Amino acid sequence: MKWIIKMFSSTIGQKFIMALTGLFLCAFLIVHTLGNLQLFKSDGGLAFNTYSVFMSTNPVIKCISYLLYATILLHAIKGFMLLRKNKKARPIDYAVQGGSANSHWTSRSMGILGTILLLFIVVHMYNFWFEYKFGHVPFTSYFTNMATGETKFQPMSADYVQANKMEEGMISNEQGQFRVVVVKDLFKEVEISFKEWWLVALYVICMFSVSFHLYHGFQSAFQTLGINHSKYNGLIQFIGVWFFSIFIPIAFAAMPLYFFFK
Amino acid sequence: MEKHLNLTLKIWRQKNAKAKGNFEAYKMTGISTDMSFLEMFDVLNERLVNDNIDPIAFDHDCREGICGACSMVINGRPHGPKNAITTCQLHMRSFNDGDTITVEPWRASPFPIIKDLVVDRSSFDRIMAAGGFVSTNTGSAQDANCTLISKEAADESLAAAACIGCGACVAACKNASAMLFVSAKVSQFALLPQGQPERKKRVLEMVAQMDTEGFGACTNTGACSAECPKEISLTHIARMNRDYLMAELC
Amino acid sequence: MTTSKLDSKIPEGSLEQKWSKYRSTVPLVNPSNKRSLEILIVGSGLAGASAAASLSELGYKVKVFCYQDSARRAHSIAAQGGINAAKNYQNDGDSTYRLFYDTIKGGDYRAREGNVYRLAEVSSSIIDQCVAQGVPFAREYGGLLSNRSFGGTQVQRTFYAAGQTGQQLLLGAYSSLQRQVGSGNVKMYARHEMLDVVNIDGVCRGIIARDLTTGKLERHFGHAVLLCTGGYGNAFYLSTNAMGCNATAIWKAHKKGALFGNPCFTQIHPTCIPVSGDHQSKLTLMSESLRNDGRIWVPKKHEDAKALQENRIKPNDIKEEDRDYYLERRYPAFGNLVPRDVASRAAKERCDAGFGVNKTGEAVFLDFAFNTIRYGTIEANKKGIHNPTEAQLIELGRGVIKEKYGNLFDMYQQITGVNPYEQPMMIYPAVHYTMGGLWVDYNLMTSVSGLYCLGEANFSDHGANRLGASALMQGLADGYFVIPYTIGAYLSKEIGTKPISLDHPAFVEAENAVKSNIDKLFAIKGTHSVDYFHKKLGLIMWNKCGMARNATHLKEAIVEIQELRKQFWSDLRVTGTADEFNAELEKAGRVADFFELGELMCMDALNRQESCGGHFREEYQTEEGEAMRDDENYKYVAAWEYFEGNKWEMHKEDLIYDNIKIAARSYK
């Protein structure tokens, strides 16, 4: 065990931690993006709400989510520790800064970009995760016509509660057979939240932070892990730039904008 | 063609390790564009001696870009505005008439200032002493052609071994990290059959010493390689990371 | 003149067996005794670092001193071209004997047979040793070591690592040294300058060193002291040496009894970047390997030369038939690859005749155009391009040239601002290496017991001229393979010597003398900087004791140096104090020594009434302007003994050639 501690306390070891946790967070972002794309479905939020229930109740996903929280914390704490160590290595700074001539500004700003992201995650989790888990999120019932597949929904009264986040059943009447789902309506929560212009602005701005952090971070993680070869550097760079620093932030930023203008 | 420049120099002056330093400004007139940057310092120092002022202390020796002694951060960039050269190879034709040039020492806590622009880089020697060698005693070597080494490996190894130990990588890095310096040596030996027996031990001990000296961590900004007078590649840092991981894991 | 002082101690026996027999019979020191024997090594270049590592590996306690901030910065690092070794890997007829012969002949028959043969013998082991250390020499595609040819030889025996062979070899020795430092067997004193040796009863017992950071004077005891401090080319101010290179260590030793051998033997390197102005602080060498592919020429017509000097025409405006490829003309067999002294003198001869090609008239062209086209043609053939255009040939050829010399071309452009791919380089000879140095015997011991001298600092192996790629060979031979054996002969008798107290009167006295010398420099409080005097000394040396010398000039030089020295000691200004980092003080001490050495160099040059190797006396030349040696009267080593007040007495060591037939040195 001693060697593990020794390994992860060296500068290179600490950077391994940053790289591994960073890449894990990148992987999470993929899932998070794809899942949240369901917000754009015009089913009154049924798919998104069902997905939210699944993500917050499935024991495997739950385990992974705790791992995720730990990873975020570890990535942030390690990041701050390294920042302090690095500052100590250069106690007096240069009077003239020449960094722009030798490196990309994103790579020199990972600390500040990361800090913005950490603050964003706190706000974001308060807005949705905390509200969903501990706050008062209203329920909505969805009726899906089994013959036509058409879905109608109706909010439940504000004081309605049920034991589980989601209950479902089948009913039949003269109009046909229906699948009825009564579920905590996180979708509604999203819809309401993103009517606030300042929150939308905050989210969009923070997505720039995501973009810049990943522009350097994704490729950097591979370098830290020793993966640098002319044969596949192009691919890593392509994914880092086009997928992580362009596609993902745009997809995320589109969500608040979509609801704001809807 | 030769031209003459008028310049203002802002140079870091610090009497000794403990003293508090500050910038002093010096006006220079009629500096030939054929002069090297250090020859301009000679001219200035000559003037200071004539004025009975302590001349500016700076490290320099070979003045042909190979000994690695010279070490000035010029307008925020180690070894000045041009790539792939040392301060002593920088010529005044790289500047314009009327320029203000700020000159600072390498700034890193493992490189304490001795005087003015002179810093103590013995931390590099200690890293080398920790493992930057192949343990072979004089006289015990086999015939040089007994071990074949591919041209590619030899060339790549030489590209790493070209490091002159000037410390520009540390000076350029926002974290004052020595990863490029250490990786150049680790990589040189990792690429050669002679380096294999001690490969794991070497990387572990050199990295441990690097940490003991108090250098920062690597953020992969690439500033080190961009400012390196010998253009040592970042691939060597990746190789060292890989070797370190392997050495710790297996 | 006496010869009694000079016993070269060359072992008896046939040339081939001298060293192997000596090695097998030299007294050894028992491993446990080695631990209590201390060796001080001054200088950390190829000779110093390799000796320190090797002796430490054997078990001796070693201390190493260097003035630079790290052992790795010693000026050996700047050697570009390569290192010779008689490996005969190319199957082109090389052998130990041929390397020995080439070196003796290259040195114009002014080196000892025994020493040089030993050098040739151990040359192979050096390559083995360096490869084992992980020195990345150039390789062929098949994985074997690559070789190139160098001036003064007709075989390919030079091993190289691009244009930075010296760097790679030094870093190899440095890494071995650091290994010993890490294991605690070597104590390293960087930023320390030796300012005197301490002799007790005629035996060297230690040194006085100044910590250049704090200014503190330190006393160090050693059972033996090795001076590996390189050459004294900076006596000329402008040279290819590093700014800090100095003669102080060997000069102090000389003043304490070590004889100085052949001080006037200076090598002027033919391919350096010409002086650009008064601000010039040093001269940059362009590797001799460039002469493999570069052709040296000046215009045939005076009017063309004049136009070039006034910058009215470009070199490429001069037609082929109006160019004088003077080396090819004068030396058809060796052409552009004649030894350095010959090439340098030929350049001077043309420039003196008014054919120089830059504004000062002191430069010749080194032109790659011909070989660019030749390489281009080869490449075009390889690529199957039929009827290539000239532009295509030039482009392909430049690719090859770039691969071979890219770093040198970049360096040239950096310094001159001229693109050498498009215009021929301009070069001129510059002081590069000093063959002279402290006189040593076969054991590398000076005339003072216990005081050794290795590498360029000694006089031993290169005679009157050193061949390219032989300096690295000698430095490493001395350090890796000679001193570890020969020092045993002395130290085996020293095992009973207990470390001498640093409070011994000899140490105290030496330190006081050093201190008073420093105080004296500060006390002058004159008006001129050290550089002011150094530049003036350099000019006297270059003009009157440089590439071509004559009795009148040398006599004048001696007087001028003496006068300038007086002025130095009455009008020098050293700023700052002695107890701090003070570069002016360091320089002042070194230049003070150059003043004395400079005078001795002129005296030696005046004494040697012949032309040999790097020493060219205008009075002694053939009608064609070739050097004229006088073997009858000057086939000896001039070893000078110092007496108080800058007086010298010369001792002769006759050179005996049993194995080589002395002949005129011809490269025609």
Side-chain angles (χ1 to χ4, degrees):
Chain A
M1 269 321 273
K2 236 174 94 184
W3 67 269
I4 293 189
I5 296 167
K6 186 179 135 262
M7 168 173 168
F8 286 119
S9 54
S10 72
T11 42
I12 296 185
Q14 295 187 59
K15 289 298 295 186
F16 282 148
I17 294 178
M18 292 304 282
L20 292 172
T21 51
L23 287 178
F24 181 72
L25 294 175
C26 284
F28 159 72
L29 279 186
I30 301 175
V31 176
H32 195 41
T33 318
L34 297 179
N36 285 14
L37 284 179
Q38 297 178 90
L39 283 170
F40 296 118
K41 250 185 163 178
S42 47
D43 61 354
L46 174 60
F48 178 74
N49 284 334
T50 320
Y51 162 76
S52 300
V53 172
F54 171 76
M55 293 303 278
S56 58
T57 50
N58 182 295
V60 177
I61 302 284
K62 263 178 117 163
C63 284
I64 295 177
S65 66
Y66 286 119
L67 181 65
L68 177 71
Y69 306 144
T71 305
I72 293 171
L73 282 179
L74 187 60
H75 191 80
I77 292 169
K78 264 288 148 217
F80 281 119
M81 284 168 67
L82 283 166
L83 215 56
R84 240 184 57 193
K85 181 187 168 66
N86 295 340
K87 182 77 199 133
K88 230 177 100 185
R90 162 135 334 118
I92 303 172
D93 214 341
Y94 294 108
V96 180
Q97 296 288 341
S100 55
N102 54 39
S103 51
H104 198 271
W105 73 270
T106 54
S107 71
R108 284 177 278 124
S109 315
M110 292 301 276
I112 187 74
L113 291 170
T115 310
I116 295 172
L117 289 184
L118 184 65
L119 294 176
F120 170 73
I121 289 169
V122 172
V123 173
H124 180 53
M125 284 185 75
Y126 173 78
N127 283 346
F128 301 112
W129 177 87
F130 184 83
E131 276 296 310
Y132 190 57
K133 206 158 175 166
F134 304 109
H136 185 78
V137 177
F139 285 83
T140 294
S141 50
Y142 295 88
F143 302 87
T144 308
N145 188 327
M146 298 306 279
T148 61
E150 188 190 353
T151 299
K152 281 185 179 152
F153 60 94
Q154 190 176 1
M156 307 294 281
S157 64
D159 52 358
Y160 174 86
V161 278
Q162 64 183 33
N164 296 316
K165 285 175 183 155
M166 182 168 103
E167 304 277 1
E168 63 177 305
M170 302 293 286
I171 54 165
S172 299
N173 58 20
E174 62 279 11
Q175 278 138 5
Q177 199 177 27
F178 290 87
R179 178 168 167 263
V180 185
V181 177
V182 184
V183 62
K184 253 189 165 178
D185 195 355
L186 187 61
F187 182 82
K188 186 95 198 159
E189 196 68 26
V190 172
E191 230 173 11
I192 295 165
S193 300
F194 289 151
K195 283 295 174 199
E196 293 286 355
W197 68 267
W198 58 269
L199 193 71
V200 173
L202 177 79
Y203 268 61
V204 171
I205 290 168
C206 286
M207 284 316 105
F208 278 102
S209 224
V210 170
S211 167
F212 297 141
H213 197 72
L214 294 186
Y215 179 82
H216 175 70
F218 182 76
Q219 300 170 52
S220 174
F222 286 89
Q223 166 80 359
T224 299
L225 294 172
I227 300 165
N228 175 334
H229 196 288
S230 53
K231 281 185 184 160
Y232 39 71
N233 281 353
L235 180 67
I236 294 172
Q237 196 175 1
F238 182 83
I239 295 174
V241 173
W242 288 101
F243 187 73
F244 282 101
S245 101
I246 294 179
F247 172 71
I248 287 195
I250 287 180
F252 276 133
M255 292 164 195
L257 290 171
Y258 169 75
F259 286 105
F260 186 72
F261 291 110
K262 196 165 100 167
Chain B
M1 276 278 87
E2 188 182 357
K3 274 187 283 191
H4 290 87
L5 310 175
N6 295 328
L7 304 160
T8 306
L9 296 179
K10 280 175 68 186
I11 301 171
W12 182 259
R13 301 299 311 257
Q14 182 173 338
K15 186 122 185 66
N16 54 49
K18 291 188 190 109
K20 202 172 145 352
N22 61 285
F23 283 100
E24 294 269 353
Y26 302 93
K27 287 250 181 273
M28 303 295 290
T29 49
I31 295 299
S32 160
T33 46
D34 280 346
M35 260 185 216
S36 75
F37 197 77
L38 295 186
E39 282 165 352
M40 178 188 64
F41 263 69
D42 293 342
V43 170
L44 172 58
N45 274 350
E46 178 89 16
R47 192 177 91 197
L48 293 178
V49 171
N50 288 340
D51 295 346
N52 230 339
I53 298 170
D54 205 18
I56 297 149
F58 60 97
D59 263 326
H60 65 112
D61 204 18
C62 77
R63 295 215 178 176
E64 52 183 286
I66 193 74
C67 77
C70 57
S71 44
M72 293 182 185
V73 173
I74 300 163
N75 287 340
R77 296 187 62 190
H79 296 307
K82 300 200 89 177
N83 289 338
I85 55 166
T86 55
T87 303
C88 65
Q89 292 175 295
L90 178 64
H91 277 65
M92 296 314 294
R93 69 180 73 90
S94 303
F95 295 91
N96 297 313
D97 195 35
D99 278 359
T100 295
I101 306 172
T102 307
V103 187
E104 303 173 71
W106 280 181
R107 297 254 184 227
S109 57
F111 289 168
I113 291 177
I114 292 176
K115 184 177 180 180
D116 296 341
L117 303 171
V118 177
V119 299
D120 176 359
R121 285 168 286 191
S122 53
S123 45
F124 271 11
D125 287 324
R126 289 189 291 274
I127 293 173
M128 285 291 290
F133 47 76
V134 172
S135 295
T136 169
N137 281 1
T138 304
S140 51
Q142 60 176 2
D143 184 87
N145 257 349
C146 278
T147 307
L148 298 180
I149 300 174
S150 74
K151 187 178 185 313
E152 291 78 9
D155 289 349
E156 177 76 358
S157 179
L158 177 62
C163 168
I164 56 174
C166 63
C169 46
V170 175
C173 176
K174 71 179 184 71
N175 306 339
S177 167
M179 288 285 278
L180 193 67
F181 168 77
V182 180
S183 70
K185 197 42 74 175
V186 165
S187 197
Q188 176 198 344
F189 291 135
L191 285 157
L192 297 174
Q194 288 82 3
Q196 298 314 310
E198 293 169 284
R199 187 168 178 173
K200 289 180 180 174
K201 190 168 171 282
R202 176 179 307 116
V203 67
L204 294 178
E205 296 192 344
M206 289 183 80
V207 169
Q209 188 62 36
M210 171 180 88
D211 288 353
T212 308
E213 298 290 346
F215 289 100
C218 178
T219 308
N220 301 321
T221 65
C224 51
S225 180
E227 297 293 8
C228 174
K230 298 295 153 185
E231 301 180 290
I232 308 278
S233 158
L234 294 177
T235 54
H236 300 299
I237 294 185
R239 184 175 289 108
M240 175 163 82
N241 287 337
R242 209 153 61 222
D243 274 17
Y244 183 82
L245 196 59
M246 286 305 169
E248 285 287 16
L249 294 181
C250 23
Chain C
M1 291 184 195
T2 59
T3 53
S4 59
K5 289 214 166 215
L6 302 174
D7 178 4
S8 61
K9 298 192 179 140
I10 304 282
E12 294 300 314
S14 71
L15 192 61
E16 294 79 14
Q17 287 181 347
K18 281 183 200 290
W19 177 237
S20 55
K21 232 174 164 175
Y22 179 87
R23 265 193 325 173
S24 324
T25 52
V26 70
L28 300 176
V29 181
N30 168 312
S32 64
N33 286 331
K34 283 188 183 127
R35 271 177 247 133
S36 55
L37 289 170
E38 296 182 45
I39 299 173
L40 307 182
I41 299 180
V42 185
S44 64
L46 285 179
S50 60
S54 305
L55 292 170
S56 168
E57 285 159 11
L58 289 173
Y60 295 108
K61 274 165 78 176
V62 177
K63 288 181 183 175
V64 180
F65 301 80
C66 69
Y67 74 79
Q68 298 92 341
D69 71 323
S70 163
R72 68 180 295 152
R73 309 214 196 280
H75 198 54
S76 308
I77 201 135
Q80 298 169 351
I83 176 167
N84 287 332
K87 282 280 194 190
N88 193 28
Y89 281 160
Q90 303 305 323
N91 197 29
D92 56 0
D94 201 6
S95 65
T96 301
Y97 184 84
R98 198 179 287 276
L99 174 54
F100 155 74
Y101 178 82
D102 286 347
T103 307
I104 291 272
K105 178 188 171 195
D108 219 355
Y109 306 94
R110 290 294 175 264
R112 280 189 203 133
E113 276 193 348
N115 283 54
V116 176
Y117 195 85
R118 174 177 68 186
L119 176 66
E121 241 180 313
V122 302
S123 65
S124 270
S125 307
I126 296 171
I127 304 302
D128 300 341
Q129 173 65 20
C130 294
V131 167
Q133 282 171 342
V135 171
F137 281 118
R139 301 265 166 178
E140 302 294 346
Y141 280 102
L144 296 168
L145 287 157
S146 175
N147 290 115
R148 61 165 83 148
S149 57
F150 242 72
T153 65
Q154 289 175 313
V155 291
Q156 294 197 327
R157 64 159 76 96
T158 304
F159 294 79
Y160 63 99
Q164 54 218 60
T165 316
Q167 181 201 24
Q168 293 310 312
L169 295 177
L170 181 66
L171 293 183
Y174 161 77
S175 69
S176 287
L177 171 61
Q178 288 307 113
R179 172 172 163 241
Q180 296 304 313
V181 171
S183 67
N185 298 334
V186 171
K187 181 106 178 59
M188 187 70 217
Y189 294 84
R191 290 198 197 272
H192 274 67
E193 182 165 25
M194 188 203 105
L195 291 179
D196 210 354
V197 292
V198 179
N199 294 345
I200 300 175
D201 301 329
V203 178
C204 184
R205 293 300 187 192
I207 64 167
I208 304 295
R210 180 168 179 269
D211 180 334
L212 299 181
T213 308
T214 63
K216 203 173 156 296
L217 294 179
E218 297 172 356
R219 305 168 192 171
H220 294 273
F221 163 80
H223 288 89
V225 175
L226 275 52
L227 303 183
C228 313
T229 54
Y232 48 89
N234 273 350
F236 292 82
Y237 185 69
L238 286 183
S239 79
T240 64
N241 286 4
M243 301 304 287
C245 288
N246 65 83
T248 290
I250 55 170
W251 194 251
K252 300 297 187 197
H254 172 58
K255 290 175 87 170
K256 285 277 177 87
L259 302 192
F260 208 112
N262 297 334
C264 80
F265 284 170
T266 312
Q267 176 164 79
I268 315 281
H269 196 290
T271 51
C272 297
I273 299 178
V275 174
S276 74
D278 293 337
H279 53 260
Q280 195 90 25
S281 60
K282 84 152 264 157
L283 295 169
T284 302
L285 178 78
M286 290 278 99
S287 169
E288 188 169 357
S289 61
L290 290 172
R291 283 200 275 147
N292 278 319
D293 287 315
R295 297 174 72 199
I296 295 175
W297 64 275
V298 292
K300 268 185 191 160
K301 297 182 199 156
H302 268 120
E303 59 263 32
D304 284 346
K306 202 156 168 28
L308 282 167
Q309 287 164 11
E310 289 162 7
N311 202 27
R312 280 186 280 115
I313 56 168
K314 295 266 170 259
N316 295 337
D317 298 338
I318 298 173
K319 287 200 259 342
E320 190 61 32
E321 61 269 25
D322 290 334
R323 301 178 177 192
D324 176 14
Y325 296 92
Y326 58 87
L327 286 177
E328 295 169 26
R329 168 169 60 80
R330 285 176 68 179
Y331 309 101
F334 280 70
N336 293 298
L337 287 175
V338 291
R340 291 174 177 177
D341 55 336
V342 178
S344 294
R345 259 194 318 275
K348 180 177 160 54
E349 188 273 328
R350 282 292 84 191
C351 290
D352 288 351
F355 294 100
V357 297
N358 71 349
K359 63 180 175 190
T360 62
E362 292 195 329
V364 298
F365 288 126
L366 179 63
D367 196 338
F368 295 85
F370 177 81
N371 282 303
T372 302
I373 299 286
R374 186 172 66 87
Y375 284 126
T377 314
I378 296 170
E379 288 300 297
N381 279 339
K382 274 193 207 162
K383 292 201 159 79
I385 304 171
H386 300 294
N387 305 321
T389 63
E390 193 174 329
Q392 265 180 315
L393 289 180
I394 290 174
E395 194 195 324
L396 288 168
R398 280 185 186 162
V400 178
I401 296 282
K402 191 178 168 72
E403 192 170 307
K404 291 179 94 161
Y405 311 111
N407 59 336
L408 296 170
F409 275 51
D410 292 347
M411 192 154 99
Y412 181 86
Q413 182 159 13
Q414 202 58 70
I415 292 171
T416 61
V418 174
N419 181 351
Y421 290 102
E422 284 162 10
Q423 289 189 38
M425 284 185 181
M426 282 197 265
I427 54 163
Y428 198 66
V431 174
H432 180 53
Y433 186 92
T434 48
M435 282 74 69
L438 290 189
W439 181 92
V440 291
D441 62 18
Y442 192 70
N443 296 323
L444 304 182
M445 195 195 276
T446 65
S447 46
V448 175
S449 255
L451 180 65
Y452 290 80
C453 191
L454 282 64
E456 187 181 349
N458 74 25
F459 88 106
S460 74
D461 294 352
H462 305 296
N465 173 55
R466 178 176 66 75
L467 289 182
S470 282
L472 303 184
M473 172 171 71
Q474 187 221 341
L476 290 179
D478 285 359
Y480 282 135
F481 296 108
V482 178
I483 197 72
Y485 292 97
T486 60
I487 205 167
Y490 175 73
L491 289 180
S492 60
K493 290 177 280 177
E494 284 291 313
I495 49 179
T497 307
K498 293 275 167 290
I500 293 170
S501 162
L502 297 177
D503 296 325
H504 187 284
F507 275 102
V508 177
E509 195 186 314
E511 187 186 317
N512 287 341
V514 168
K515 193 175 172 305
S516 77
N517 196 47
I518 290 174
D519 292 343
K520 220 168 112 190
L521 288 166
F522 277 114
I524 304 170
K525 295 196 192 307
T527 57
H528 288 299
S529 70
V530 182
D531 284 354
Y532 169 86
F533 290 105
H534 196 178
K535 282 181 184 176
K536 289 197 152 198
L537 171 68
L539 271 180
I540 301 174
M541 294 297 294
W542 178 243
N543 290 334
K544 302 193 166 166
C545 191
M547 262 188 288
R549 305 153 171 185
N550 63 52
T552 319
H553 276 166
L554 288 167
K555 282 177 195 158
E556 283 168 13
I558 291 170
V559 175
E560 285 170 27
I561 290 170
Q562 286 169 346
E563 276 168 9
L564 190 62
R565 185 168 62 217
K566 263 189 224 140
Q567 213 186 326
F568 174 86
W569 283 104
S570 59
D571 196 21
L572 173 73
R573 174 183 290 169
V574 183
T575 52
T577 62
D579 56 359
E580 62 174 346
F581 183 98
N582 189 340
E584 288 298 304
L585 174 63
E586 293 168 30
K587 285 194 286 186
R590 293 167 192 163
V591 172
D593 293 333
F594 281 137
F595 268 112
E596 298 176 356
L597 171 58
E599 185 181 342
L600 179 63
M601 289 167 76
C602 294
M603 282 174 63
D604 187 44
L606 186 61
N607 167 71
R608 194 168 280 279
Q609 297 176 35
E610 63 163 349
S611 294
C612 64
H615 170 66
F616 187 76
R617 281 283 296 265
E618 286 165 343
E619 305 95 312
Y620 309 99
Q621 54 180 316
T622 64
E623 278 175 13
E624 294 155 306
E626 301 298 333
M628 215 158 67
R629 238 175 34 228
D630 180 353
D631 291 329
E632 202 168 313
N633 296 307
Y634 291 95
K635 192 161 59 64
Y636 64 77
V637 176
W640 299 81
E641 184 179 5
Y642 179 86
F643 293 97
E644 199 52 45
N646 292 320
K647 304 255 180 312
W648 286 274
E649 185 186 331
M650 192 189 70
H651 303 268
K652 286 182 188 174
E653 179 198 334
D654 283 319
L655 292 165
I656 300 150
Y657 292 97
D658 294 327
N659 299 279
I660 279 188
K661 197 175 151 302
I662 302 189
R665 179 164 157 260
S666 168
Y667 291 93
K668 292 186 186 279

